[in-house]
Amino acid sequence: MIDPAASSRGDTPWIGDDPRFTELRATYRRFVFPMTAAFLLWFLAYVLCSAYARGFMAAKVVGNVNVALVFGLLQFVSTFGIALAYGRFAARRLDPLAAALRSVAATHPTVPAPAGRGGDQELTENQA
């Protein structure tokens, strides 16, 4: 069992020490960091090709549609694809973990943070 008085991080100081919270953060990061890196590399490749590979980007694909236009449109496609993939990932992997934490937090008593860190402090004249 987690000792709610063992930590002092806000209204529910114990939540940061909960292994389910650690698992939630790790699961989130395992998806977001690689996906962000992949998208940024893809976007950087598009920008660099536009700046330095003008002949390649100007090559016609079909009619007046060139490689640059196709790559530009694929930026939108990849953005919506990543958003869709994240939505599915979150529903499948993150939401159950977050729901478990929410239910525990709803039944777990909160512990006020110590004075000086947003806890029980006297109101100043400006706050009253």
Side-chain angles (χ1 to χ4, degrees):
M1 184 69 178
I2 297 169
D3 179 15
S7 179
S8 60
R9 290 191 278 264
D11 289 342
T12 54
W14 56 271
I15 201 90
D17 298 329
D18 193 309
R20 290 168 289 206
F21 180 72
T22 305
E23 180 184 355
L24 176 64
R25 284 180 43 179
T27 304
Y28 171 79
R29 288 177 177 171
R30 275 193 299 273
F31 180 87
V32 170
F33 288 169
M35 196 62 68
T36 300
F39 180 79
L40 288 175
L41 286 173
W42 160 234
F43 181 72
L44 181 64
Y46 172 66
V47 170
L48 290 175
C49 285
S50 295
Y52 298 109
R54 292 177 186 252
F56 169 69
M57 295 297 268
K60 301 281 185 194
V61 177
V62 176
N64 287 330
V65 177
N66 61 15
V67 174
L69 181 60
V70 172
F71 276 18
L73 292 174
L74 287 176
Q75 291 290 317
F76 289 103
V77 171
S78 63
T79 299
F80 290 117
I82 290 169
L84 181 65
Y86 177 76
R88 289 181 177 175
F89 174 80
R92 190 178 71 248
R93 301 282 309 276
L94 299 178
D95 291 349
L97 293 171
L101 275 173
R102 250 186 257 108
S103 67
V104 169
T107 60
H108 199 286
T110 60
V111 177
R117 297 190 67 199
D120 297 328
Q121 299 173 358
E122 292 182 352
L123 293 177
T124 63
E125 289 182 14
N126 294 336
Q127 294 172 328

